[in-house]
Amino acid sequence: MAASMREPTFWILTALASEARHGYGVIREAAALSGGRVTLQPGTLYAALDRLADEGLVEVDREEIVDGRTRRYYRLTQPGATALGAETERLRASADAAAAQLKRFGHGTAGRPAW
């Protein structure tokens, strides 16, 4: 069984799944997709992007100069998409197992008691 992905990594890859984004775009998209539960800090994000690039899960898409500063856009690679898909399936299986146990305990699917 593969090790689980850290939550920030999951949300970074998820944010890049639909299009290439620069750092602040990744931060905003991860927050939006997680319903505000995940707030990536710039230092954490850029260290993670460097690590993910070294692992071949993301790559630099392009760079542009905005207000005299370089803005680097990242995109998901095919191995990154494969890793994200595997983690998505792992999380789904875990949630399904928990839901089945709750149902056996007498809770409905929304986590509310059935009684």
Side-chain angles (χ1 to χ4, degrees):
M1 182 170 137
S4 63
M5 189 178 283
R6 292 185 302 224
E7 189 172 23
T9 298
F10 175 81
W11 289 111
I12 291 167
L13 295 180
T14 300
L16 293 172
S18 61
E19 64 183 67
R21 297 179 194 280
H22 56 79
Y24 184 63
V26 171
I27 290 170
R28 284 192 335 231
E29 186 70 2
L33 290 169
S34 70
R37 291 183 314 276
V38 172
T39 305
L40 298 170
Q41 299 301 316
T44 302
L45 172 68
Y46 289 106
L49 286 170
D50 287 343
R51 177 181 54 79
L52 294 170
D54 288 346
E55 293 173 4
L57 302 180
V58 303
E59 62 189 7
V60 174
D61 181 67
R62 66 187 184 279
E63 291 182 348
E64 61 187 27
I65 305 298
V66 177
D67 296 328
R69 297 181 60 180
T70 301
R71 181 179 284 175
R72 183 172 289 158
Y73 287 76
Y74 295 86
R75 71 172 168 238
L76 192 64
T77 62
Q78 188 56 53
T82 299
L84 180 58
E87 180 66 1
T88 300
E89 289 306 313
R90 187 193 71 77
L91 291 170
R92 182 175 287 122
S94 296
D96 288 349
Q101 289 298 93
L102 283 169
K103 188 174 182 179
R104 290 179 63 197
F105 183 70
H107 283 263
T109 58
R112 295 190 181 106
W115 54 88

